[in-house]
Amino acid sequence: MSHNAELISVGTELLLGNILNTDARFLSRELSKLGMNVYYQTVVGDNPERLRRAVDIAKGRADIIITTGGLGPTCDDLTKQTLAAAFGKKLVFHEESAERIRDYFEQNLHGAPMPENNLQQAMFPDGCVILPNDWGTAPGCIFEADGCHVVMLPGPPRECEPMFCAHVVPYLQKLSGETIRSRTLKLFGMGESAVEARLRDRMNALTNPTLAPYAKTGEVELRITAKAESDAEADALIAPVEEEVRAIFGDLIYGADVDSLEEVVLAALKEKGLTLSCAESCTGGLIAKRLTDLPGASAAFEGGAVTYWSEVKRGLLGVPQTLLDEKGAVSEEVARAMAEGARTVFGSDLAVSATGVAGPDSDERGNPVGLVYVALATPEGTFCRELHLGQSRDRVRTTAAHHAFDMTRRYLAGLPSELKV
Amino acid sequence: MSHNAELISVGTELLLGNILNTDARFLSRELSKLGMNVYYQTVVGDNPERLRRAVDIAKGRADIIITTGGLGPTCDDLTKQTLAAAFGKKLVFHEESAERIRDYFEQNLHGAPMPENNLQQAMFPDGCVILPNDWGTAPGCIFEADGCHVVMLPGPPRECEPMFCAHVVPYLQKLSGETIRSRTLKLFGMGESAVEARLRDRMNALTNPTLAPYAKTGEVELRITAKAESDAEADALIAPVEEEVRAIFGDLIYGADVDSLEEVVLAALKEKGLTLSCAESCTGGLIAKRLTDLPGASAAFEGGAVTYWSEVKRGLLGVPQTLLDEKGAVSEEVARAMAEGARTVFGSDLAVSATGVAGPDSDERGNPVGLVYVALATPEGTFCRELHLGQSRDRVRTTAAHHAFDMTRRYLAGLPSELKV
């Protein structure tokens, strides 16, 4: 039987935009792994009438309702009262939970006396299963009524997430007869609409698995999602579609179930025991920053030079003054000299560089915003791409860094340096 | 008249938990600044029936509906069709938008032919106001029907956010009879709960203007919001509260209505005609990246060295090998030597450095994750802070960069280097 879950996030701080709804993202992802459909997420404030209306709507369209937030000790924490009323249940005092809450205060807030209103957290809908909270004070609970499974979790992610994994996943697994699996192929070098145009007929024809593209800045994700009775069966549905997609896009696909180009580059560098450095002008540190976002980057990434000024390109990387004078800082020749300079200065096996006009204004030679040269220096020579990346400073920088990683990836995989689209 | 807005975020990727709903956060915050209530946020997938049901519910409880997502060229982008149908409107072709979309392709994707399905983005509900998209291809629109103001925006935040500010804010301001103004003070060097504890009584006592703190990674925003009949009247309500807050927190407040510490640093450098460079180990390019995110950074930022390896700290910045051997790469002495080395190598007036353990593992000397030294080299000598920034790699790096900028800001403003909290 297929289940439809609805998430109701309770908290005025969400409606004021003070915090991001990370709980909804976490729960949606986990539910999808469990094969549960999530058709709606609703966010509502700490207001019992409006929460009640949201619950009544959810009852009519979902058979699993998961709330987050509003379980705390303050007077605007009204989730349990409201949900109990919506399903015709009374609240009863739970002595064991009261004990746990008192213990938590003693252990974690040495000496501070427990405010009595914390005991409100020990009131529960009659007949529910109580979910102990080992990460804070507010316990959660689950009850079944009117054909609905109702789960209440605290709002803080550091409590909500482990409680979901520890107590709710086993409960939901028993409910579910089927599994959903998805596989995400990442593609660099073709726009979303071109990708979609090539796949449209196939996408429309597919129902299980489904195939859908998602655009990221300068990249496209292609997700294949299958429902089946077992993981193995779902994977068997996915495999031929993945093969088909790979046959269409070839080496534009840089990975499956990976986060980013830099992740693929770092893994390939480590595998081959090679090191990388970088020389950045228009990207201004972004290439280095993205590599060092990854834990363990130091195994392959030696360092980089951010050479924003021409003097620094010359002084730090040895880019010849004559080149800078004759060709300008934004030129193929300087991009190559920067990458080669970095390779020498850092003594790394490979070095990437980027020089261009990120905007908002064109440079003093009249080069347009968006013109970028990206180069890769290797023992087999230096490769360079000339790029035209549009008007947005952010997009120019992000996409230029993508290209630097893509050139490195292609080199490490033995693919031709140029993208053939 | 008070308005109730509802946000409907359209996108299966949200329901699958693949992305965070940053649009809902952004729009909620902006609407709250405009004095609009947001009682519900709804997230629904790329499914016209379920979207239609969500719209029908929203019509019954809000007089402003703002959708994000589903305006793209792919066949699962169905927001305009669905909203038009829900309000009994036809879709019509808009030649000017088609032209803009063709132009965008020509300027940004030289040579790549525009797939014809992009023209779907030029179909609009009859009689709507079209919102040009200068940041992507999908235009938005606004129409009024059945007592509702309906706004449709594209999903990618880099398009949604500037379009909202440029086109939707003026529209909503006209709806609202009163003016709402807010002023945001930015504070670095004290945690949110400490800030809130100092302000709590005052916050509770204030009704117009209101005063509210918002936590960011390592920073706190204090927003003062006033409602009045004119801008001048609202500003006059805000001024004394701002003065009061500044008296409490003194020079921990680094700016009003500014985005970031680096923005304040760049402005101060330009004003004084001074230049900056940086030497980064644990921040791995983040300091340089944040400075060069700002247009015009090249006026004051010369460049930086990302010295992830010790060999590079020695080779590029001249950090003495004996220091590295005796004190280790994560030490006050090396942080100072890195900053001084960068100042010499780049010939800049000032240089900042950061060296530390970003995690996930402690370093080979057993220094714990979160230990970071940040230094600033100046003509008057070198300053250094020892920091303990917790366990999260991301937070350690972000907060270390904040400190580097804060030290530079304080030096440029003639304030003592150490934070006195």
Side-chain angles (χ1 to χ4, degrees), chain A residues 18 200 223 292 304 306 390 393, chain B residues 18 108 117 214 292 304 306 393:
Chain A
N18 296 327
R200 176 154 333 116
R223 187 168 328 118
T292 61
V306 180
R393 182 176 178 89
Chain B
N18 294 326
N108 289 276
N117 51 355
Y214 302 100
T292 60
V306 180
R393 183 178 178 89

Side-chain angles (χ1 to χ4, degrees), chain A residues 171-189:
Chain A
Y171 178 88
L172 295 176
Q173 269 168 340
K174 273 191 218 155
L175 293 184
S176 169
E178 73 182 357
T179 206
I180 298 204
R181 302 262 287 177
S182 69
R183 190 156 165 89
T184 302
L185 302 178
K186 304 272 276 196
L187 188 149
F188 178 75

Side-chain angles (χ1 to χ4, degrees), chain A residues 32-367:
Chain A
S32 119
K33 286 190 200 158
L34 289 168
M36 308 269 172
N37 296 311
V38 177
Y39 289 149
Y40 296 97
Q41 300 167 357
T42 301
V43 179
V44 59
D46 299 310
N47 174 294
E49 290 78 33
R50 285 192 283 272
L51 172 56
R52 174 61 187 267
R53 265 176 262 149
V55 172
D56 289 342
I57 290 168
K59 273 177 77 169
R61 61 191 187 188
D63 67 339
I64 297 169
I65 297 177
I66 302 181
T67 70
T68 50
L71 299 185
T74 76
C75 57
D76 45 46
D77 288 319
L78 297 160
T79 304
K80 280 185 294 188
Q81 292 86 321
T82 307
L83 273 281
F87 287 89
K89 291 195 164 273
K90 278 190 310 189
L91 288 183
V92 296
F93 184 74
H94 187 244
E95 180 52 42
E96 204 186 301
S97 291
E99 274 313 305
R100 281 183 77 107
I101 293 164
R102 285 193 199 99
D103 283 356
Y104 181 89
F105 263 82
E106 245 164 58
Q107 285 172 25
N108 289 277
L109 302 154
H110 309 265
M114 182 184 78
E116 270 305 296
N117 53 355
N118 272 283
L119 289 182
Q120 185 181 301
Q121 298 178 64
M123 299 292 292
F124 287 94
D126 204 7
C128 71
V129 175
I130 289 167
L131 309 178
N133 181 346
D134 296 325
W135 302 270
T137 63
C141 66
I142 303 184
F143 65 79
E144 222 185 302
D146 304 348
C148 244
H149 303 270
V150 179
V151 179
M152 293 182 241
L153 292 169
R158 67 181 180 282
E159 302 176 27
C160 172
E161 297 184 7
M163 282 176 74
F164 183 83
C165 295
H167 306 303
V168 185
V169 168
Y171 178 88
L172 295 176
Q173 269 168 340
K174 273 191 218 155
L175 293 184
S176 169
E178 73 182 357
T179 206
I180 298 204
R181 302 262 287 177
S182 69
R183 190 156 165 89
T184 302
L185 302 178
K186 304 272 276 196
L187 188 149
F188 178 75
M190 188 185 283
E192 188 205 11
S193 48
V195 168
E196 211 238 338
R198 289 220 194 165
L199 290 178
R200 176 154 333 116
D201 293 343
R202 200 63 193 104
M203 279 160 53
N204 291 340
L206 284 167
T207 54
N208 189 24
T210 58
L211 174 62
Y214 302 99
K216 306 246 164 183
T217 303
E219 303 187 288
V220 179
E221 277 188 17
L222 285 167
R223 187 168 328 118
I224 310 166
T225 307
K227 296 191 189 200
E229 282 185 15
S230 69
D231 285 0
E233 211 180 300
D235 290 345
L237 288 167
I238 290 171
V241 177
E242 174 172 349
E243 213 172 299
E244 217 180 311
V245 171
R246 285 184 180 272
I248 294 170
F249 298 106
D251 58 30
L252 295 186
I253 290 174
Y254 70 77
D257 293 337
V258 293
D259 274 336
S260 61
L261 276 161
E262 56 268 32
E263 185 189 318
V264 172
V265 165
L266 181 61
L269 287 167
K270 284 186 187 175
E271 198 196 301
K272 294 199 182 299
L274 296 176
T275 62
L276 178 70
S277 66
C278 62
E280 306 186 58
S281 187
C282 63
T283 48
L286 179 60
I287 293 172
K289 184 260 179 201
R290 282 173 54 177
L291 277 167
T292 61
D293 278 343
L294 304 170
S298 58
F301 179 63
E302 296 192 18
V306 180
T307 55
Y308 229 49
W309 284 18
S310 285
E311 292 84 329
V312 178
K313 291 182 180 72
R314 190 186 60 227
L316 218 60
L317 298 173
V319 176
Q321 187 62 45
T322 47
L323 262 194
L324 291 162
D325 291 340
E326 282 167 26
K327 306 290 178 177
V330 178
S331 61
E332 175 170 344
E333 290 81 357
V334 168
R336 288 174 177 270
M338 284 171 66
E340 289 161 9
R343 193 165 168 261
T344 306
V345 167
F346 290 97
S348 56
D349 298 305
L350 310 176
V352 285
S353 72
T355 181
V357 188
D361 303 314
S362 51
D363 73 359
E364 69 289 350
R365 291 191 175 231
N367 286 312

Side-chain angles (χ1 to χ4, degrees), chain B residues 185 198 240-251 253:
Chain B
L185 303 178
R198 289 218 195 168
V241 177
E242 174 172 349
E243 212 172 300
E244 218 181 310
V245 171
R246 285 185 180 271
I248 295 170
F249 298 106
D251 58 31
I253 290 175

